[in-house]
Amino acid sequence: MSFYKEGIRFECKQCGNCCSIKGYVFIFPKDLERLVEKSGFTLEELERSYLSTVDGYTVLRSRGDEGCIFWDAIEKSCNIYEARPTQCRTFPFWKSLVYRKEKWDKETAMCPGIGEGRLYTEVEIDEIKNLL
Ligand code: SF4
Ligand code: SF4
């Protein structure tokens, strides 16, 4: 039985913690389509300056330890918010995080939006976790 039977409140506080840490943002075909459609960059520009590969998978480039290349630390915002990839859209309701309460509890320490804002039902969370 899931630990989120009663749902979970979440509202992004735009703190940038999840965008400014070291890690990979994977880009799936539908993400690439969205990026080309909505980011304002052409496919060539994206491939040349913003995408990379790790073990054969396409990922967003990072700024080393400062996190995602699209995170604007001064404005505290994502430069491609409307075009952001599925991994960003579905956070924090990732399978890997809601799978076990211990994993989830660690994430709540990093994300101040968890426990705030609107209530996501168990059904909604299960739908979101299956998008990735
Ligand atoms: S850590 Fe949570 S509150 Fe902060 S930007 Fe990421 S999702 Fe939003
Ligand atoms: S694409 Fe935007 S939302 Fe996703 S990690 Fe980068 S800055 Fe954050």
Side-chain angles (χ1 to χ4, degrees):
M1 195 169 74
S2 74
F3 69 85
Y4 51 91
K5 270 259 170 271
E6 304 303 320
I8 297 174
R9 289 191 182 279
F10 171 68
E11 179 182 76
C12 178
K13 299 294 179 187
Q14 308 245 263
C15 70
N17 286 352
C18 63
C19 304
S20 57
I21 53 173
K22 206 172 176 179
Y24 296 118
V25 178
F26 290 92
I27 300 296
F28 301 101
K30 63 185 172 187
D31 294 319
L32 196 52
E33 277 175 34
R34 195 189 294 113
L35 278 166
V36 170
E37 196 183 321
K38 296 186 174 173
S39 72
F41 298 108
T42 64
L43 180 60
E44 293 70 30
E45 287 169 332
L46 288 164
E47 286 176 340
R48 190 172 58 238
S49 306
Y50 299 101
L51 301 176
S52 178
T53 54
V54 171
D55 294 336
Y57 294 99
T58 304
V59 296
L60 291 185
R61 285 196 189 173
S62 67
R63 294 194 176 105
D65 289 346
E66 290 174 28
C68 179
I69 195 159
F70 288 121
W71 175 246
D72 184 329
I74 294 166
E75 294 293 325
K76 290 246 175 209
S77 65
C78 169
N79 283 334
I80 53 152
Y81 189 76
E82 291 303 319
R84 69 198 188 286
T86 308
Q87 190 175 321
C88 311
R89 291 169 180 272
T90 55
F91 183 84
F93 301 124
W94 294 347
K95 261 187 212 133
S96 59
L97 298 179
V98 298
Y99 173 62
R100 273 213 323 249
K101 182 77 167 67
E102 302 80 57
K103 291 274 281 180
W104 180 259
D105 287 343
K106 275 192 191 160
E107 213 62 21
T108 61
M110 186 276 289
C111 174
I114 295 174
E116 304 284 328
R118 92 151 167 99
L119 185 73
Y120 286 75
T121 66
E122 182 186 38
V123 171
E124 283 180 295
I125 293 168
D126 286 342
E127 279 173 7
I128 294 170
K129 81 179 184 196
N130 288 323
L131 290 175
L132 197 60

mmCIF file of all heavy atoms in Angstrom, residues 16 18-21 24-25 27 35 60-61 63 67-72 77-89, ligand 2:
data_model
loop_
_atom_site.group_PDB
_atom_site.id
_atom_site.type_symbol
_atom_site.label_atom_id
_atom_site.label_comp_id
_atom_site.label_asym_id
_atom_site.label_seq_id
_atom_site.Cartn_x
_atom_site.Cartn_y
_atom_site.Cartn_z
ATOM 1 N N GLY A 16 14.799 26.653 -6.516
ATOM 2 C CA GLY A 16 15.857 26.230 -7.419
ATOM 3 C C GLY A 16 16.726 25.102 -6.896
ATOM 4 O O GLY A 16 17.664 24.685 -7.572
ATOM 5 N N CYS A 18 16.260 21.971 -6.787
ATOM 6 C CA CYS A 18 16.302 20.790 -7.661
ATOM 7 C C CYS A 18 16.945 21.098 -9.015
ATOM 8 O O CYS A 18 17.330 20.185 -9.737
ATOM 9 C CB CYS A 18 14.902 20.202 -7.840
ATOM 10 S SG CYS A 18 13.745 21.322 -8.641
ATOM 11 N N CYS A 19 17.047 22.377 -9.369
ATOM 12 C CA CYS A 19 17.635 22.765 -10.659
ATOM 13 C C CYS A 19 19.122 23.068 -10.535
ATOM 14 O O CYS A 19 19.838 23.080 -11.541
ATOM 15 C CB CYS A 19 16.940 24.008 -11.202
ATOM 16 S SG CYS A 19 15.165 23.846 -11.371
ATOM 17 N N SER A 20 19.557 23.356 -9.334
ATOM 18 C CA SER A 20 20.932 23.833 -9.158
ATOM 19 C C SER A 20 21.847 22.804 -8.508
ATOM 20 O O SER A 20 22.930 23.147 -8.040
ATOM 21 C CB SER A 20 20.932 25.131 -8.347
ATOM 22 O OG SER A 20 20.288 24.930 -7.106
ATOM 23 N N ILE A 21 21.387 21.559 -8.456
ATOM 24 C CA ILE A 21 22.266 20.517 -7.925
ATOM 25 C C ILE A 21 22.807 19.679 -9.078
ATOM 26 O O ILE A 21 22.245 19.676 -10.176
ATOM 27 C CB ILE A 21 21.546 19.588 -6.905
ATOM 28 C CG1 ILE A 21 20.260 19.015 -7.512
ATOM 29 C CG2 ILE A 21 21.269 20.318 -5.608
ATOM 30 C CD1 ILE A 21 19.590 17.978 -6.648
ATOM 31 N N TYR A 24 21.403 14.663 -13.678
ATOM 32 C CA TYR A 24 21.050 14.636 -15.095
ATOM 33 C C TYR A 24 19.571 14.904 -15.303
ATOM 34 O O TYR A 24 18.733 14.382 -14.574
ATOM 35 C CB TYR A 24 21.383 13.272 -15.702
ATOM 36 C CG TYR A 24 22.852 12.953 -15.695
ATOM 37 C CD1 TYR A 24 23.343 11.862 -14.999
ATOM 38 C CD2 TYR A 24 23.755 13.766 -16.391
ATOM 39 C CE1 TYR A 24 24.709 11.574 -14.991
ATOM 40 C CE2 TYR A 24 25.106 13.486 -16.390
ATOM 41 C CZ TYR A 24 25.572 12.394 -15.682
ATOM 42 O OH TYR A 24 26.906 12.118 -15.672
ATOM 43 N N VAL A 25 19.269 15.705 -16.330
ATOM 44 C CA VAL A 25 17.886 15.854 -16.791
ATOM 45 C C VAL A 25 17.839 15.146 -18.136
ATOM 46 O O VAL A 25 18.426 15.610 -19.121
ATOM 47 C CB VAL A 25 17.481 17.334 -16.941
ATOM 48 C CG1 VAL A 25 16.043 17.420 -17.477
ATOM 49 C CG2 VAL A 25 17.608 18.071 -15.615
ATOM 50 N N ILE A 27 16.416 13.704 -21.632
ATOM 51 C CA ILE A 27 15.563 14.255 -22.693
ATOM 52 C C ILE A 27 15.050 13.107 -23.556
ATOM 53 O O ILE A 27 15.824 12.434 -24.228
ATOM 54 C CB ILE A 27 16.372 15.246 -23.574
ATOM 55 C CG1 ILE A 27 16.906 16.397 -22.723
ATOM 56 C CG2 ILE A 27 15.516 15.770 -24.724
ATOM 57 C CD1 ILE A 27 15.836 17.272 -22.096
ATOM 58 N N LEU A 35 10.895 21.054 -26.791
ATOM 59 C CA LEU A 35 11.982 22.045 -26.741
ATOM 60 C C LEU A 35 12.071 22.818 -28.050
ATOM 61 O O LEU A 35 12.215 24.043 -28.054
ATOM 62 C CB LEU A 35 13.318 21.348 -26.451
ATOM 63 C CG LEU A 35 13.616 21.033 -24.980
ATOM 64 C CD1 LEU A 35 14.785 20.063 -24.868
ATOM 65 C CD2 LEU A 35 13.901 22.298 -24.192
ATOM 66 N N LEU A 60 20.236 17.257 -20.711
ATOM 67 C CA LEU A 60 20.556 18.679 -20.762
ATOM 68 C C LEU A 60 21.969 18.866 -20.250
ATOM 69 O O LEU A 60 22.405 18.157 -19.343
ATOM 70 C CB LEU A 60 19.604 19.487 -19.861
ATOM 71 C CG LEU A 60 18.148 19.608 -20.269
ATOM 72 C CD1 LEU A 60 17.419 20.554 -19.307
ATOM 73 C CD2 LEU A 60 18.014 20.109 -21.695
ATOM 74 N N ARG A 61 22.658 19.823 -20.810
ATOM 75 C CA ARG A 61 23.987 20.132 -20.276
ATOM 76 C C ARG A 61 23.845 20.763 -18.904
ATOM 77 O O ARG A 61 22.806 21.347 -18.573
ATOM 78 C CB ARG A 61 24.715 21.105 -21.196
ATOM 79 C CG ARG A 61 25.210 20.421 -22.429
ATOM 80 C CD ARG A 61 26.243 21.265 -23.124
ATOM 81 N NE ARG A 61 26.534 20.650 -24.406
ATOM 82 C CZ ARG A 61 27.294 21.192 -25.336
ATOM 83 N NH1 ARG A 61 27.853 22.374 -25.115
ATOM 84 N NH2 ARG A 61 27.522 20.567 -26.463
ATOM 85 N N ARG A 63 25.982 23.054 -15.661
ATOM 86 C CA ARG A 63 27.088 23.969 -15.398
ATOM 87 C C ARG A 63 27.920 23.373 -14.270
ATOM 88 O O ARG A 63 28.061 23.966 -13.208
ATOM 89 C CB ARG A 63 26.560 25.335 -14.977
ATOM 90 C CG ARG A 63 25.803 26.063 -16.061
ATOM 91 C CD ARG A 63 25.630 27.519 -15.659
ATOM 92 N NE ARG A 63 24.997 28.275 -16.709
ATOM 93 C CZ ARG A 63 23.727 28.688 -16.686
ATOM 94 N NH1 ARG A 63 22.977 28.434 -15.644
ATOM 95 N NH2 ARG A 63 23.222 29.373 -17.676
ATOM 96 N N GLY A 67 24.546 22.969 -11.560
ATOM 97 C CA GLY A 67 23.276 22.437 -12.024
ATOM 98 C C GLY A 67 22.936 22.750 -13.464
ATOM 99 O O GLY A 67 23.808 23.024 -14.293
ATOM 100 N N CYS A 68 21.648 22.750 -13.732
ATOM 101 C CA CYS A 68 21.135 22.814 -15.105
ATOM 102 C C CYS A 68 21.537 24.097 -15.835
ATOM 103 O O CYS A 68 21.504 25.192 -15.274
ATOM 104 C CB CYS A 68 19.613 22.711 -15.046
ATOM 105 S SG CYS A 68 18.837 22.800 -16.663
ATOM 106 N N ILE A 69 21.846 23.934 -17.097
ATOM 107 C CA ILE A 69 22.267 25.076 -17.923
ATOM 108 C C ILE A 69 21.145 26.106 -18.106
ATOM 109 O O ILE A 69 21.403 27.278 -18.386
ATOM 110 C CB ILE A 69 22.772 24.566 -19.297
ATOM 111 C CG1 ILE A 69 23.538 25.673 -20.006
ATOM 112 C CG2 ILE A 69 21.625 24.018 -20.161
ATOM 113 C CD1 ILE A 69 24.472 25.176 -21.063
ATOM 114 N N PHE A 70 19.918 25.695 -17.909
ATOM 115 C CA PHE A 70 18.801 26.622 -18.087
ATOM 116 C C PHE A 70 18.346 27.298 -16.791
ATOM 117 O O PHE A 70 17.396 28.073 -16.799
ATOM 118 C CB PHE A 70 17.609 25.902 -18.729
ATOM 119 C CG PHE A 70 17.837 25.586 -20.186
ATOM 120 C CD1 PHE A 70 17.802 24.271 -20.639
ATOM 121 C CD2 PHE A 70 18.081 26.595 -21.102
ATOM 122 C CE1 PHE A 70 18.008 23.975 -21.968
ATOM 123 C CE2 PHE A 70 18.286 26.305 -22.447
ATOM 124 C CZ PHE A 70 18.257 24.991 -22.878
ATOM 125 N N TRP A 71 19.003 27.003 -15.689
ATOM 126 C CA TRP A 71 18.611 27.636 -14.427
ATOM 127 C C TRP A 71 19.256 29.010 -14.314
ATOM 128 O O TRP A 71 20.467 29.151 -14.436
ATOM 129 C CB TRP A 71 19.000 26.775 -13.231
ATOM 130 C CG TRP A 71 18.712 27.453 -11.917
ATOM 131 C CD1 TRP A 71 19.626 27.870 -10.989
ATOM 132 C CD2 TRP A 71 17.425 27.783 -11.373
ATOM 133 N NE1 TRP A 71 18.984 28.448 -9.920
ATOM 134 C CE2 TRP A 71 17.628 28.406 -10.137
ATOM 135 C CE3 TRP A 71 16.112 27.612 -11.837
ATOM 136 C CZ2 TRP A 71 16.581 28.865 -9.341
ATOM 137 C CZ3 TRP A 71 15.064 28.072 -11.037
ATOM 138 C CH2 TRP A 71 15.302 28.682 -9.812
ATOM 139 N N ASP A 72 18.424 30.044 -14.117
ATOM 140 C CA ASP A 72 18.918 31.398 -13.938
ATOM 141 C C ASP A 72 18.943 31.684 -12.439
ATOM 142 O O ASP A 72 17.906 31.913 -11.811
ATOM 143 C CB ASP A 72 17.974 32.384 -14.656
ATOM 144 C CG ASP A 72 18.485 33.818 -14.594
ATOM 145 O OD1 ASP A 72 19.150 34.172 -13.604
ATOM 146 O OD2 ASP A 72 18.196 34.585 -15.533
ATOM 147 N N SER A 77 14.765 31.424 -11.815
ATOM 148 C CA SER A 77 13.739 30.864 -12.695
ATOM 149 C C SER A 77 14.382 30.001 -13.775
ATOM 150 O O SER A 77 15.585 30.101 -14.041
ATOM 151 C CB SER A 77 12.924 31.982 -13.339
ATOM 152 O OG SER A 77 13.745 32.736 -14.184
ATOM 153 N N CYS A 78 13.529 29.203 -14.378
ATOM 154 C CA CYS A 78 13.950 28.348 -15.483
ATOM 155 C C CYS A 78 13.817 29.133 -16.783
ATOM 156 O O CYS A 78 12.746 29.667 -17.072
ATOM 157 C CB CYS A 78 13.054 27.106 -15.498
ATOM 158 S SG CYS A 78 13.236 26.116 -16.993
ATOM 159 N N ASN A 79 14.888 29.166 -17.571
ATOM 160 C CA ASN A 79 14.863 29.943 -18.818
ATOM 161 C C ASN A 79 13.988 29.329 -19.907
ATOM 162 O O ASN A 79 13.721 29.971 -20.912
ATOM 163 C CB ASN A 79 16.285 30.105 -19.362
ATOM 164 C CG ASN A 79 17.046 31.150 -18.591
ATOM 165 O OD1 ASN A 79 16.453 32.051 -18.013
ATOM 166 N ND2 ASN A 79 18.360 31.038 -18.560
ATOM 167 N N ILE A 80 13.590 28.093 -19.717
ATOM 168 C CA ILE A 80 12.746 27.433 -20.737
ATOM 169 C C ILE A 80 11.510 26.831 -20.075
ATOM 170 O O ILE A 80 11.080 25.742 -20.431
ATOM 171 C CB ILE A 80 13.539 26.331 -21.478
ATOM 172 C CG1 ILE A 80 14.188 25.351 -20.489
ATOM 173 C CG2 ILE A 80 14.566 26.930 -22.424
ATOM 174 C CD1 ILE A 80 14.375 23.975 -21.040
ATOM 175 N N TYR A 81 10.959 27.555 -19.112
ATOM 176 C CA TYR A 81 9.903 26.970 -18.264
ATOM 177 C C TYR A 81 8.785 26.287 -19.064
ATOM 178 O O TYR A 81 8.398 25.160 -18.761
ATOM 179 C CB TYR A 81 9.315 28.044 -17.344
ATOM 180 C CG TYR A 81 8.398 27.461 -16.317
ATOM 181 C CD1 TYR A 81 8.910 26.789 -15.199
ATOM 182 C CD2 TYR A 81 7.016 27.506 -16.467
ATOM 183 C CE1 TYR A 81 8.075 26.215 -14.260
ATOM 184 C CE2 TYR A 81 6.170 26.927 -15.531
ATOM 185 C CZ TYR A 81 6.708 26.291 -14.431
ATOM 186 O OH TYR A 81 5.883 25.702 -13.502
ATOM 187 N N GLU A 82 8.280 26.957 -20.092
ATOM 188 C CA GLU A 82 7.173 26.375 -20.862
ATOM 189 C C GLU A 82 7.614 25.131 -21.634
ATOM 190 O O GLU A 82 6.793 24.299 -22.005
ATOM 191 C CB GLU A 82 6.594 27.401 -21.846
ATOM 192 C CG GLU A 82 5.854 28.547 -21.183
ATOM 193 C CD GLU A 82 4.715 28.066 -20.281
ATOM 194 O OE1 GLU A 82 4.013 27.128 -20.675
ATOM 195 O OE2 GLU A 82 4.549 28.623 -19.181
ATOM 196 N N ALA A 83 8.900 25.030 -21.876
ATOM 197 C CA ALA A 83 9.413 23.906 -22.667
ATOM 198 C C ALA A 83 10.151 22.887 -21.801
ATOM 199 O O ALA A 83 10.767 21.966 -22.317
ATOM 200 C CB ALA A 83 10.363 24.435 -23.741
ATOM 201 N N ARG A 84 10.076 23.043 -20.480
ATOM 202 C CA ARG A 84 10.876 22.183 -19.605
ATOM 203 C C ARG A 84 10.528 20.703 -19.812
ATOM 204 O O ARG A 84 9.363 20.377 -20.083
ATOM 205 C CB ARG A 84 10.738 22.605 -18.134
ATOM 206 C CG ARG A 84 9.377 22.349 -17.539
ATOM 207 C CD ARG A 84 9.195 23.186 -16.270
ATOM 208 N NE ARG A 84 7.985 22.833 -15.550
ATOM 209 C CZ ARG A 84 6.759 23.148 -15.931
ATOM 210 N NH1 ARG A 84 6.558 23.781 -17.049
ATOM 211 N NH2 ARG A 84 5.723 22.785 -15.193
ATOM 212 N N PRO A 85 11.518 19.855 -19.657
ATOM 213 C CA PRO A 85 11.330 18.423 -19.929
ATOM 214 C C PRO A 85 10.414 17.712 -18.927
ATOM 215 O O PRO A 85 10.149 18.232 -17.836
ATOM 216 C CB PRO A 85 12.745 17.856 -19.827
ATOM 217 C CG PRO A 85 13.652 19.018 -19.914
ATOM 218 C CD PRO A 85 12.911 20.182 -19.365
ATOM 219 N N THR A 86 9.971 16.544 -19.311
ATOM 220 C CA THR A 86 9.058 15.748 -18.482
ATOM 221 C C THR A 86 9.618 15.506 -17.087
ATOM 222 O O THR A 86 8.884 15.546 -16.095
ATOM 223 C CB THR A 86 8.781 14.383 -19.160
ATOM 224 O OG1 THR A 86 8.375 14.628 -20.505
ATOM 225 C CG2 THR A 86 7.709 13.615 -18.438
ATOM 226 N N GLN A 87 10.911 15.278 -17.010
ATOM 227 C CA GLN A 87 11.524 15.018 -15.704
ATOM 228 C C GLN A 87 11.280 16.188 -14.750
ATOM 229 O O GLN A 87 11.046 15.987 -13.551
ATOM 230 C CB GLN A 87 13.027 14.773 -15.904
ATOM 231 C CG GLN A 87 13.726 14.267 -14.655
ATOM 232 C CD GLN A 87 15.177 13.928 -14.941
ATOM 233 O OE1 GLN A 87 15.508 13.384 -15.996
ATOM 234 N NE2 GLN A 87 16.052 14.248 -14.008
ATOM 235 N N CYS A 88 11.316 17.406 -15.278
ATOM 236 C CA CYS A 88 11.091 18.598 -14.455
ATOM 237 C C CYS A 88 9.603 18.770 -14.159
ATOM 238 O O CYS A 88 9.214 19.176 -13.066
ATOM 239 C CB CYS A 88 11.596 19.842 -15.173
ATOM 240 S SG CYS A 88 13.262 19.664 -15.818
ATOM 241 N N ARG A 89 8.772 18.469 -15.148
ATOM 242 C CA ARG A 89 7.331 18.647 -14.993
ATOM 243 C C ARG A 89 6.742 17.700 -13.967
ATOM 244 O O ARG A 89 5.716 18.003 -13.363
ATOM 245 C CB ARG A 89 6.615 18.374 -16.330
ATOM 246 C CG ARG A 89 6.906 19.417 -17.356
ATOM 247 C CD ARG A 89 6.438 19.014 -18.741
ATOM 248 N NE ARG A 89 6.756 20.087 -19.638
ATOM 249 C CZ ARG A 89 5.957 21.119 -19.884
ATOM 250 N NH1 ARG A 89 4.751 21.167 -19.375
ATOM 251 N NH2 ARG A 89 6.351 22.091 -20.677
HETATM 252 S S1 SF4 B 2 15.073 22.655 -17.428
HETATM 253 FE FE1 SF4 B 2 14.341 24.252 -16.057
HETATM 254 S S2 SF4 B 2 13.066 23.177 -14.548
HETATM 255 FE FE2 SF4 B 2 14.370 21.646 -15.553
HETATM 256 S S3 SF4 B 2 16.199 21.431 -14.253
HETATM 257 FE FE3 SF4 B 2 16.631 22.955 -15.857
HETATM 258 S S4 SF4 B 2 16.138 24.921 -14.918
HETATM 259 FE FE4 SF4 B 2 15.148 23.339 -13.674
#
